[in-house]
C-alpha cells in the first residue's frame, strides 16, 4: 500500500508573473471601457477636456481619412469618432463655439481630446492660448 503525501496531489500554481499579467490585462480592459463610455459618439454625447490646434506644418499633408489637410477648413482630429462625424466644440473660457468635421486621428498628447484646424481655432479664439478647455458634443 502506497501512502501519498499531501504535497503530491497539490494543484500546480501559476507563476506570479502570469498572475500579474492577468491583473494588468483586466485593469487595462476596464480602463478602455471606462474611457469609451465617457464619449459614446452618438448624437448628444459630450466630453470635456483640452483642445489644441494644428495648422501650418500639416497643411497639404494627408490625414488619416486620406484627404489632404486644409488649415482653412473647419475640420478636426479625434481619437475614436468616425470620419465625417460633425461635432460642436465650445471653448469653456469664453463660450465661443464652432462645428467641425472629423477627418483625422489624434491628438496624441495626454490630456487633450481634440485637435482643431487653424480656422476652427480662430473661431474659438484660441490661437494665442494654443490649448484651451473645451466641451465636445457629437451632432451626428
Amino acid at each position: 500500500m502506497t501512502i501519498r503525501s499531501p504535497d503530491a496531489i497539490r494543484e500546480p500554481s501559476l507563476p506570479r508573473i502570469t498572475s500579474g499579467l492577468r491583473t494588468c490585462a483586466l485593469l487595462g480592459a476596464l480602463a478602455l471601457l471606462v474611457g469609451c463610455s465617457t464619449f459614446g459618439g452618438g448624437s448628444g454625447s459630450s466630453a470635456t477636456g483640452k483642445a489644441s490646434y494644428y495648422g501650418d506644418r500639416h497643411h497639404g499633408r494627408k490625414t488619416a481619412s486620406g484627404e489632404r489637410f486644409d488649415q482653412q477648413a473647419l475640420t478636426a482630429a479625434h481619437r475614436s469618432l468616425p470620419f465625417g462625424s460633425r461635432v460642436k466644440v465650445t471653448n469653456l473660457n469664453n463660450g465661443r463655439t464652432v462645428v467641425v468635421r472629423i477627418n483625422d486621428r489624434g491628438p496624441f498628447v495626454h490630456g487633450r481630446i481634440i485637435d482643431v484646424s487653424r480656422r476652427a481655432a480662430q473661431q474659438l479664439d484660441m490661437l494665442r492660448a494654443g490649448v484651451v478647455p473645451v466641451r465636445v458634443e457629437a451632432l451626428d
Side-chain angles (χ1 to χ4, degrees):
M1 177 170 198
T2 308
I3 298 175
R4 293 187 179 176
S5 71
D7 291 336
I9 56 175
R10 188 181 319 169
E11 295 279 328
S13 63
L14 293 174
R16 283 186 176 182
I17 193 163
T18 305
S19 177
L21 290 174
R22 283 186 184 168
T23 302
C24 287
L26 178 61
L27 290 175
L30 288 173
L32 182 62
L33 288 173
V34 169
C36 291
S37 68
T38 60
F39 193 59
S43 184
S45 298
S46 69
T48 57
K50 292 183 181 179
S52 54
Y53 74 94
Y54 60 120
D56 299 340
R57 70 178 192 182
H58 297 285
H59 186 71
R61 293 186 180 179
K62 278 192 175 182
T63 63
S65 67
E67 67 184 84
R68 299 260 177 214
F69 175 67
D70 179 1
Q71 65 183 349
Q72 294 305 316
L74 292 175
T75 58
H78 191 274
R79 287 187 200 110
S80 61
L81 287 173
F83 295 135
S85 297
R86 292 174 350 123
V87 297
K88 181 169 84 170
V89 181
T90 303
N91 182 337
L92 297 177
N93 286 340
N94 60 21
R96 296 185 78 171
T97 66
V98 65
V99 174
V100 295
R101 180 177 51 87
I102 304 300
N103 73 337
D104 203 2
R105 291 291 173 233
F108 300 108
V109 176
H110 180 72
R112 297 189 192 167
I113 61 170
I114 195 164
D115 274 337
V116 297
S117 65
R118 182 177 180 83
R119 182 168 172 214
Q122 286 173 327
Q123 290 191 16
L124 292 169
D125 193 24
M126 63 177 279
L127 287 178
R128 178 168 260 133
V131 178
V132 296
V134 295
R135 180 177 49 254
V136 177
E137 299 171 79
L139 299 177
D140 54 17

